Amino acid sequence: MRDHIFHSADEAKLDGRYADAKSLYAGYGVDTDAAVDAALNVPVSLHCWQADDVRGLESHEGDLDGGGIMATGGYPGRARNGDEIRRDLSKVINLVPGVLRANIHALYAESGGKRVDRDALTVEQFERWIDWAAGENIGMDFNSTYFAHPMAEDGYTLSHPDQSVRDFWIRHGIACRRIAEEIGRRLDKPCYLNHWIPDGAKDSPSDRWSPRARLVDSYDRIMDVSHGIDRAWCIDAVESKLFGLGSEDYVVGSFEFYSALSLTRGLLLCLDMGHFHPTETIHDKISALLQFHDRLLMHVSRPIRWDSDHVVIFNDDLRAVFLEWARGRALDRAVVAMDFFDASINRTAAYIIGARATRKAILYALLDPVDTLQELESQGKNAQKLALMEEWKTMPFDAVWDTLCVRDGVPTGAAWLSDVEQYEKEVLKSR
Ligand code: RNT
Ligand code: ZN
């Protein structure tokens, strides 16, 4: 292998490459400078759980059910504590362009050896995360953790038939809302709090009704105004799913359930790219849902045959999603968060591949000649429209992407890999 296989773009030549690209795009009415600026400013929330395979920081006896999600692989270097996760995330932040946020799950509580159960969590257990986010000058998002806990072992939480189990998880949901509110206040940026529950059945339930009725009631209790939680700081989202490991036949919180719940309760709806039928994609849902919703939370993920949570790449699905937002001039209504976990490759590289791909897809969408395409379509010139869409696939996008990286002070090309290899040698290998 050549010594410098992971090289950067030839920056001496980049100015020329970019000038050519800029005039080519401008010929179709697309302003590349404006697209670069806009693409850098779309916040992308960086999940903490790729660093440690969704294990979290609580100490448990034995293995607990992951609630239908599972990281596979045994690549060395997994982060073992909060400091290691934060160190990995800081490395990622340095190598990914654009505005980022940090997305923390409640099971990443740090209680200094004391046992604080999920229903008793307060912002105190997240002080170190907040300090770190403040130091990185980024906002923070939060997630309640309704899995990997003895009270979730039989596969039901907020829809559990036993009132005391439901009450425990309701208390957890409320505790998380208070934490999210406080995080938002402290960092002076609203905190998105996502609620996802694993509840469901492996095989043919005879009663699909009661769990759903109970789930409505549980959410109504969690979201009750009497808790006095300021929705300007804590913005609640609910995430639907079609199936999970061990809940193949029935998931209580399905898409229809959460579509209706979110609309009637003023909650944000979260669409995860891996949570639909295996060949179903989410881009066509955006313009339909946005007729009724102000915004959507998206979990950017990559299913392969099932909800496998593979590392996000710059593929057709990802491009289609961001093109939809751009073509609806609605990118400011997208709340973007990454959600994947691959334990079979270098985890830091996994983060960077996924985050750079997400930013790339945002830029790609902002470079779309949408005005021209829509003009052609309205004139019935559909062959011309299709031809232009084809043309776009071989435009000199790389020069604009490299320029975006340079403007934000992160490595161009594949140069970031040398940095990650060095990090692996110096830091990850010794774990
Ligand atoms: C699970 C959901 C959920 C989780 C995270 C860890 O299927 O996608 O978002 O991946 O909360
Ligand atoms: Zn998700």
Side-chain angles (χ1 to χ4, degrees), residues 123 126 130 139-142 178-189 191 233:
V123 74
F126 298 92
I130 298 174
M140 217 173 113
D141 299 316
F142 201 58
R178 292 197 198 290
I179 295 166
E181 179 190 31
E182 189 60 25
I183 289 172
R185 266 215 187 90
R186 294 252 203 113
L187 296 174
D188 200 22
K189 294 183 179 81
C191 174
W233 296 116

Side-chain angles (χ1 to χ4, degrees), residues 226-237:
S226 67
H227 306 311
I229 292 159
D230 189 342
R231 285 193 170 194
W233 296 116
C234 165
I235 303 176
D236 292 281

